[in-house]
Amino acid sequence: MLQVSYIRDNREQVLERLAVKNFKQTELVDKVISLDDQRRQTQNRLDNISAEANSAAKQIGELMRNGKKEEAEGIKAKTGAWKEEIKQLGEQLSQLEQELQQKLVLLPNLPHSSVPKGLTPEDNEVVLEHGETPALPANALPHWELAAKYNLIDFELGVKITGAGFPVYKGKGAKLQRALINFFLAEAEKAGYDERALPLLVNEASGFGTGQLPDKEGQMYYVGLDNLYLIPTAEVPITNLYRDVILKGEELPVMNCGYTPCFRREAGSYGAHVRGLNRLHQFDKVEIVQVVHPDKSYETLEEMSKHVQGLLQKLGLPYRVLRLCGGDMGFASALTYDMETWSAAQQRWLEVSSVSNFETFQSNRLKLRFRNAEGKTQLAHTLNGSALALPRIVATLLENNQTENGIKIPEVLVPYTGFDMIS
């Protein structure tokens, strides 16, 4: 959530940066400023009258002690009107604060100055490409056919149990899943991340804190009886560990990671590009999250990007890094890098990770602060990244490593799988 003081003091800059995200609701920004002006005026009026009432109460006490009852009664007559006005002003203030909050949460985060303008994924900026795309024979199979051929994943069984987008992993397919999770967690630990085992359901306050609510309410699975949401990513519970927390400056950076299944409704997804593992309603992911000093957040973003790239390099997967344009960015992000791997059988790039800096957007909602060198509380910056999401990693591993004799397992995974070939 944007800070009202910043919006009020930097109106033109705010409108300019929001336009990069194709958010051009000038009237909403002006409404926020107007409501804040009314709130400040009401607060000042309330403070002044309360001060007068408190001063009068002390004066009445002194007059009564000095035997000036008649004079005291005269002042008492005024206090009744003050009390009524204080009550009315308090109600007005509460209503204005509520309305201001409702408007504020509709504003997305401001994009960083390096974010390119654009409307669609085609407008994203390619930062770098790494590795050579494998040349597969003409009869190479897509991963969903390889999964069936080697009895690794049963998509139809998942439909029977739950529905489309909930695959069942079998045999070496299940072991490959577990191997990747353990590999990603081990690499995160080497990089200094502290692992967390997390709830898969979160309350509304947690969804609001990281910006999923109210923006992505329709994409989350909702458990109505208990008013809880299945997590779309481990970012939500990990970051909310620090909701309403004031950290010591020396505790920064906070580095956590966690493996969870993730649940997304993916409403409106259909077609060839969502076939097989390309888009699921339930999938596994290892997430990395950092809480850092504001001066360090963009340096940290680059480090997190390099960590994810290191995983892809160790798996031997060709990849590219994209800087997302304004129109393709998330609601809460200030800058996002997407990492995509090349699917040799499908002949297209598949997103496998997003690494984002949210600056103070999440921490303002979470009231996540730290004490700076002067001992004053200050909003921290939060970042998160997929390290990595499994479905499309599995898809590209199966497709890119297929041979006449089977599917070769990357060397770094063999200690985790216990086998070097699926045949």
Side-chain angles (χ1 to χ4, degrees), residues 232-234 258-262 264 283-287 386-390:
T233 166
Y259 152 69
T260 65
C262 302
R264 298 183 187 178
F283 60 94
D284 292 323
K285 182 155 67 84
V286 171
E287 193 81 359
S386 317
L388 284 158
L390 270 70

Side-chain angles (χ1 to χ4, degrees), residues 367-381:
K367 295 182 174 58
L368 165 52
R369 295 155 292 171
F370 71 98
R371 291 202 181 277
N372 59 26
E374 291 75 39
K376 296 179 180 178
T377 58
Q378 183 178 346
L379 290 172
H381 279 197

Side-chain angles (χ1 to χ4, degrees), residues 318-330:
Y319 69 88
R320 68 180 185 178
V321 180
L322 305 177
R323 182 185 284 112
L324 297 194
C325 70
D328 199 32
M329 286 178 66

Side-chain angles (χ1 to χ4, degrees), residues 128-143:
L128 65 87
E129 291 190 22
H130 182 275
E132 295 183 5
T133 58
L136 298 181
N139 63 348
L141 301 176
H143 68 271

Side-chain angles (χ1 to χ4, degrees), residues 34-46:
S34 173
L35 285 169
D36 187 52
D37 286 340
Q38 293 175 59
R39 180 193 64 80
R40 285 150 61 91
Q41 291 167 11
T42 304
Q43 183 70 66
N44 286 338
R45 177 66 178 157
L46 179 60

Side-chain angles (χ1 to χ4, degrees), residues 151-409:
N151 198 28
L152 304 175
I153 307 168
D154 194 322
F155 294 100
E156 294 306 315
L157 197 54
V159 172
K160 171 187 172 182
I161 296 168
T162 309
F166 295 88
V168 174
Y169 297 86
K170 303 162 68 176
K172 287 187 175 180
K175 289 180 180 178
L176 179 59
Q177 284 281 113
R178 180 156 44 89
L180 283 165
I181 292 165
N182 288 335
F183 169 62
F184 294 152
L185 286 173
E187 292 297 305
E189 184 179 6
K190 288 179 190 175
Y193 290 92
D194 193 17
E195 186 178 353
R196 295 287 183 269
L198 303 152
L200 304 183
L201 288 156
V202 293
N203 55 31
E204 190 173 342
S206 294
F208 174 81
T210 44
Q212 276 70 28
L213 297 176
D215 179 55
K216 292 183 175 63
E217 190 166 8
Q219 290 294 325
M220 296 172 72
Y221 284 101
Y222 178 58
V223 183
L225 189 62
D226 300 301
N227 196 28
L228 296 173
Y229 294 84
L230 281 166
I231 62 169
T233 166
E235 165 205 348
V236 181
I238 291 179
T239 313
N240 273 278
L241 295 172
Y242 304 96
R243 176 156 37 99
D244 298 319
V245 169
I246 300 176
L247 296 163
K248 297 176 182 176
E250 56 269 26
E251 292 181 282
L252 300 179
V254 172
M255 302 172 65
N256 289 154
C257 68
Y259 152 69
T260 65
C262 302
F263 305 88
R264 298 183 187 178
R265 293 186 62 242
E266 298 288 7
S269 298
Y270 59 91
H273 283 187
V274 301
R275 192 168 179 184
L277 296 173
N278 289 343
R279 185 154 296 176
L280 301 175
H281 295 304
Q282 178 183 326
F283 60 94
D284 292 323
K285 182 155 67 84
V286 171
E287 193 81 359
I288 53 175
V289 173
Q290 291 207 40
V291 180
V292 304
H293 191 286
D295 294 344
K296 301 286 187 181
S297 67
Y298 281 96
E299 176 185 332
T300 300
L301 181 66
E302 298 301 324
E303 291 170 357
M304 293 173 74
S305 172
K306 288 176 183 175
H307 174 76
V308 174
Q309 293 179 53
L311 298 176
L312 296 171
Q313 290 169 17
K314 289 175 182 179
L315 291 172
L317 293 173
Y319 69 88
R320 68 180 185 178
V321 180
L322 305 177
R323 182 185 284 112
L324 297 194
C325 70
D328 199 32
M329 286 178 66
F331 181 83
S333 174
L335 178 60
T336 295
Y337 291 123
D338 269 9
M339 283 69 170
E340 298 180 332
T341 58
W342 177 251
S343 165
Q346 299 177 72
Q347 288 290 295
R348 67 189 188 93
W349 293 100
L350 300 177
E351 179 198 334
V352 293
S353 175
S354 283
V355 182
S356 299
N357 186 355
F358 303 101
E359 296 186 355
T360 61
F361 193 83
Q362 290 182 334
S363 59
N364 192 27
R365 290 175 170 230
L366 294 160
K367 295 182 174 58
L368 165 52
R369 295 155 292 171
F370 71 98
R371 291 202 181 277
N372 59 26
E374 291 75 39
K376 296 179 180 178
T377 58
Q378 183 178 346
L379 290 172
H381 279 197
T382 61
L383 304 94
N384 82 275
S386 317
L388 284 158
L390 270 70
R392 294 169 188 165
I393 289 290
V394 172
T396 51
L397 282 176
L398 295 180
E399 292 177 2
N400 295 7
N401 294 327
Q402 59 184 299
T403 70
E404 291 181 2
N405 300 317
I407 301 168
K408 186 172 175 55
I409 298 298

Side-chain angles (χ1 to χ4, degrees), residues 1 15 55 73 76 85 106 214 263 286 296 334 361 379 382:
M1 184 168 65
L15 291 172
S55 176
E73 290 296 333
K76 269 187 184 181
E85 189 171 1
L106 299 177
F263 305 88
V286 171
K296 301 286 187 181
F361 193 83
L379 290 172
T382 61

